């Protein structure tokens, strides 16, 4: 398989890769965007902090618009997992399962991150329905006045609970880490955040709300 020559290979067709590809295509570079999975953005049930969408927008809708915009200027979006990148003179050869696919002068990695979901039954369905949230910055506002359980570990979990405490008076940190790793106990007490130190094994969902967290 002879690799196809392009100016730039963007790896990842989430918001970052698609934004870059629109800019690059408008800079009149030949651009291929390779994506081998599901962008994390596709999980967004309804975003309220996306500039320009005061009524909210789903992750799927924003990705669709961003893909069209990039393609409008000539970016090519390919469904492919890049499994190897090798330097080749002043460029790179990118290989997929099918073999060497592209030779690019530059490669932009926009591969995102992968969430570690809590090990709970049906948690993925609950995330897609906005019943379990995984981005405090994105969704804190929607927690105003609600009773919130934050599943977290170590002092990072404590910091996330403290952040959510700015939206709600009823916050409980369910600490999923080793007890010794949580040092911010005094701060949690000062903020009035309850602490549960036990692994949870179930989130009970009734209709469209979480009705119980069980441990
Ligand atoms: C439930 C949920 C709700 C959220 N709500 C909001 C919100 O309201 N507002 C907000 O601003 N943000 C929100 N976010 C965060 C937002 O989704 C991320 O910040 C955003 O998706 C990051 O974009 P990205 O392009 O960096 O990564 P991603 O969207 O994750 O895209 C990266 C892509 O790279 C691909 N990839 C990785 N490795 C390879 C490889 N080797 N070859 C080919 N492709 C590869 C992946 O398959 C993926 O498609 C939310 C996230 C989740 C999960």
């Amino acid at each position: 398989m002879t690799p196809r020559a392009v100016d730039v290979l963007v790896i990842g067709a989430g918001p970052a890769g698609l934004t870059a590809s629109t800019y690059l295509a408008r800079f009149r570079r030949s651009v291929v965007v390779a994506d081998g999975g599901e962008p994390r953005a596709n999980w967004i049930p309804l975003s309220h902090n996306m500039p320009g969408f005061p009524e909210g927008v789903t992750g799927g809708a924003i990705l669709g618009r961003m893909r069209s915009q990039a393609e409008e200027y000539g970016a090519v979006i390919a469904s492919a997992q890049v499994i190897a990148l090798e330097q080749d003179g002043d460029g790179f050869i990118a290989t997929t399962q099918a073999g060497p696919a592209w030779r690019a002068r530059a490669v932009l990695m926009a591969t995102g991150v992968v969430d570690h979901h809590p090990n709970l039954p049906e948690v993925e369905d609950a995330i897609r329905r906005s019943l379990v949230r995984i981005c405090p910055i994105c969704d804190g506002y929607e927690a105003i006045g609600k009773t919130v359980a934050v599943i977290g570990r170590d002092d990072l979990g404590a910091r996330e609970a403290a952040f959510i405490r700015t939206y709600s008076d009823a916050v409980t940190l369910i600490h999923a880490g080793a007890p010794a790793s949580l040092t911010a106990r005094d701060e949690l007490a000062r903020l009035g955040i309850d602490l549960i130190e036990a692994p949870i094994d179930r989130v009970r969902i009734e209709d469209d709300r979480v009705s119980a967290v069980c441990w």
Side-chain angles (χ1 to χ4, degrees), residues 11-17 34-50 63 80-83 110-113 115 127 134-135 138-139:
I11 306 179
D35 198 300
E38 181 183 14
R40 191 167 171 250
N42 208 35
W43 283 76
I44 304 176
L46 190 68
S47 172
H48 296 281
N49 67 354
M50 211 62 87
L63 284 169
Q81 181 84 11
V82 175
I83 56 171
T111 48
V113 296
D115 291 306
I127 292 170
I134 59 175
C135 176
C138 311
D139 295 331

Side-chain angles (χ1 to χ4, degrees), residues 143-148 164-171 191-194:
I144 290 176
K146 294 191 177 150
T147 301
V148 184
I164 291 297
R165 178 68 181 80
T166 65
Y167 296 98
S168 165
D169 294 339
V171 177
L191 292 170
I193 296 172
D194 292 335

